[in-house]
Amino acid sequence: MFDFLSQKFSSIFSQITGKSTLTEQNMQEALDKVKDALLAADVPQELVETFVIDIQKEAVGQKVLKSLKPGDQLIKIVHERLKAFMGSDTLQDFSFQLPATIMVMGLQGSGKTTTIAKLMHYVLNQAKKRNKKRNVLCASIDFYRPAAIDQLEILAKQVGVSFYRSSKTDPVAAALDIQQYARQQGFELLFLDTAGRLHVDQGMLGELRTVDLQLKPRYKLLVLDAMTGQESLNVAQAFEQAVGYQYAILSKMDSDTRGGAAFVFRYAQKKPILFVGIGEKIDDLEQFYPDRMAGRILGMGDVLTLIERATDRINESEQEVIQASFMKGKLNLQDFANQLDMMSKIGSLSQIAKYIPGMNSMNIPQEKLEKGEAELIKFKAIINSMTPKERIVPRLLDGSRKQRIARGAGVTLADINVLLQRFEESQQYVKLFKKFGRRGPGMF
């Protein structure tokens, strides 16, 4: 997400960060590079001009060049403008009001049906954090795409929510039948999947408009494919004029999209982005926080989102077990394996790296991250091939034991030695943790 922009911006501003002097010339050079980066990210030229002019005006007004740290001051202004562009007034910790019908719209291929599954998973997870349960129903009136309704039924089972298949074949009649069923059965939330087309056409919009008038849904969400760039803005405009919607969801933000659509959507459409899809799994959905996204673009990372992902995906008992190991100041290989499992729950190395401050400026090749990911999978296979005693007492691993483990895991002796080397390195961090953990028990 925003990898292209983040790499560009990190490269631009790394040259002026912390500088005690900044001239009008090199400030203008930096802003020219910002302009080029945004244009390359598929941001419309008129919006690029607006963005840069706003920064220039604010920089002059705050007398950046004469400030104590002009480079840092300029970056702060850019950060604030990024937040404003992407919607600094976006709702925090969004939740759906109950009861509600939620009408989900979008073009065919935008990831609309999968996004509904992610939204339902989000709702259930949000309720679970509050020790509550949600009675959720989903249904589809997409009679045009083969197997669309079957796909939603499969996803509903995967998420753990109810599914209803209407016997009606007319989309409007089916929508009314579905809503009536939801009310009769006391469902708190109804997610309605609507039909899409490969492109905007009046027939689709007319049908959606009629469904909207008949159902009067509390929420209308528009799913947009982030890979379509500026075209997504045109699609959003067509839906807004014909049907209207409150929030947008950008799918496929984990792709090689350059992020231009997300960057300007709030400013151009005057509609907030509510969520972004960042993968294929049902928990690969993030709420869109403009301040956090601005930080990512500028290479500042997003530690808050990383912590939230860890909290959501790693249960409390797992956290307590690994914390106890850290506080002892020593790990065994079983603890090491548990760490690897917890990290894989948070995401791949590529995903995690995007949240860590300064990672983009390091320009770590994707191939290297993928190699590291493959190494972690190998490590888990090696540890799984050990006996429980070998995991707890690694010094037992002599030559013959290593050969047995290598055969069981399908690896080489060199791979086992690399694992043991990494394990020894991790022990040093654990000793540091114990040292500082005594000063602050809440550090973990």
Side-chain angles (χ1 to χ4, degrees):
M1 188 192 311
F2 292 118
D3 286 354
F4 176 82
L5 273 177
S6 183
Q7 288 167 6
K8 290 285 187 182
F9 276 43
S10 294
S11 174
I12 294 166
F13 291 117
S14 63
Q15 299 171 27
I16 61 173
T17 301
K19 279 193 174 183
S20 58
T21 58
L22 191 64
T23 66
E24 288 187 15
Q25 182 180 347
N26 55 26
M27 184 174 79
Q28 188 58 51
E29 287 173 357
L31 293 179
D32 287 342
K33 289 177 182 177
V34 166
K35 186 185 295 186
D36 291 341
L38 292 173
L39 290 171
D42 203 24
V43 178
Q45 183 161 357
E46 62 273 20
L47 295 181
V48 172
E49 296 289 347
T50 299
F51 180 75
V52 174
I53 289 170
D54 285 351
I55 294 171
Q56 288 172 327
K57 286 180 181 177
E58 201 163 342
V60 172
Q62 294 190 25
K63 299 180 180 177
V64 166
L65 299 180
K66 294 180 181 179
S67 63
L68 189 62
K69 291 185 177 180
D72 296 346
Q73 187 72 11
L74 178 61
I75 292 170
K76 182 182 178 183
I77 291 171
V78 174
H79 185 259
E80 291 301 318
R81 293 312 302 161
L82 280 170
K83 285 197 299 182
F85 242 67
M86 293 189 290
S88 54
D89 58 344
T90 300
L91 295 174
Q92 301 290 311
D93 301 319
F94 175 84
S95 60
F96 293 104
Q97 293 182 26
L98 307 176
T101 295
I102 302 154
M103 181 175 166
V104 184
M105 306 176 291
L107 294 184
Q108 186 175 319
S110 63
K112 179 165 44 68
T113 304
T114 306
T115 297
I116 289 176
K118 293 178 180 180
L119 286 168
M120 294 187 297
H121 175 78
Y122 171 85
V123 166
L124 296 183
N125 197 42
Q126 192 182 48
K128 186 179 178 182
K129 290 179 188 176
R130 300 170 183 169
N131 295 316
K132 294 181 179 180
K133 292 184 178 180
R134 286 285 170 259
N135 198 11
V136 179
L137 175 71
C138 66
S140 175
I141 55 170
D142 186 354
F143 299 120
Y144 304 96
R145 184 167 63 90
I149 300 177
D150 294 336
Q151 180 191 3
L152 185 61
E153 184 176 17
I154 292 168
L155 289 169
K157 289 178 182 176
Q158 187 180 346
V159 176
V161 300
S162 299
F163 171 83
Y164 176 67
R165 188 187 294 265
S166 176
S167 60
K168 311 290 184 182
T169 56
D170 174 73
V172 178
L176 288 168
D177 175 49
I178 291 164
Q179 190 179 61
Q180 183 181 20
Y181 174 82
R183 286 172 176 168
Q184 288 174 346
Q185 299 300 315
F187 285 100
E188 295 169 298
L189 293 173
L190 164 61
F191 285 88
L192 183 67
D193 192 7
T194 60
R197 305 285 197 280
L198 291 173
H199 54 83
V200 173
D201 70 50
Q202 293 307 310
M204 171 189 66
L205 296 176
E207 181 181 291
L208 291 172
R209 187 162 50 245
T210 304
V211 171
D212 175 37
L213 291 171
Q214 292 292 322
L215 263 63
K216 297 180 174 60
R218 174 171 277 183
Y219 297 97
K220 289 179 284 184
L221 309 180
L222 178 62
V223 179
L224 295 166
D225 183 345
M227 293 184 69
T228 58
Q230 291 187 39
E231 180 57 28
S232 63
L233 301 179
N234 298 328
V235 171
Q237 187 176 20
F239 273 88
E240 170 61 13
Q241 290 175 348
V243 190
Y245 66 95
Q246 294 120 317
Y247 304 105
I249 300 173
L250 292 183
S251 64
K252 307 178 187 178
M253 285 297 288
D254 58 315
S255 64
D256 59 0
T257 174
R258 297 192 167 190
F263 175 79
V264 299
F265 183 87
R266 177 68 176 82
Y267 187 88
Q269 297 295 312
K270 311 304 179 190
K271 299 278 184 177
I273 299 171
L274 191 57
F275 294 100
V276 289
I278 55 168
E280 294 296 323
K281 297 177 183 177
I282 59 170
D283 56 355
D284 285 334
L285 186 75
E286 285 184 4
Q287 190 171 343
F288 186 85
Y289 295 103
D291 54 342
R292 299 185 190 182
M293 293 301 172
R296 287 194 214 180
I297 290 174
L298 291 176
M300 299 173 183
D302 184 0
V303 176
L304 282 175
T305 298
L306 183 60
I307 291 170
E308 286 172 3
R309 284 173 71 92
T311 304
D312 287 344
R313 302 184 183 200
I314 302 171
N315 63 50
E316 194 172 334
S317 60
E318 288 176 311
Q319 293 181 43
E320 288 172 352
V321 168
I322 198 65
Q323 184 177 4
S325 299
F326 267 68
M327 293 310 296
K328 285 188 298 184
K330 190 167 185 176
L331 294 181
N332 56 47
L333 283 169
Q334 184 58 59
D335 295 325
F336 194 58
N338 292 341
Q339 278 185 298
L340 298 180
D341 285 336
M342 285 194 286
M343 193 170 75
S344 63
K345 287 180 181 179
I346 298 172
S348 66
L349 286 180
S350 299
Q351 287 177 320
I352 293 171
K354 294 170 185 177
Y355 300 101
I356 300 174
M359 287 298 288
N360 274 312
S361 61
M362 295 174 68
N363 293 320
I364 300 175
Q366 181 64 28
E367 298 77 24
K368 194 167 184 178
L369 290 171
E370 290 172 359
K371 183 180 177 182
E373 192 71 33
E375 193 175 67
L376 294 182
I377 293 170
K378 222 179 249 187
F379 287 172
K380 285 192 273 188
I382 292 169
I383 296 173
N384 287 338
S385 295
M386 295 178 186
T387 65
K389 190 172 182 180
E390 288 168 343
R391 297 177 198 175
I392 296 171
V393 190
R395 65 175 180 273
L396 294 174
L397 297 174
D398 56 19
S400 61
R401 287 176 184 263
K402 287 180 182 179
Q403 287 178 349
R404 188 202 78 240
I405 293 166
R407 287 194 298 270
V411 299
T412 66
L413 289 175
D415 292 326
I416 296 176
N417 290 331
V418 170
L419 163 64
L420 294 175
Q421 182 184 342
R422 297 284 190 276
F423 173 67
E424 286 302 319
E425 290 168 357
S426 73
Q427 294 280 42
Q428 303 305 314
Y429 290 106
V430 174
K431 289 175 184 176
L432 282 173
F433 179 88
K434 183 181 180 183
K435 178 181 177 182
F436 290 108
R438 286 174 178 166
R439 298 179 188 175
M443 181 181 170
F444 183 77

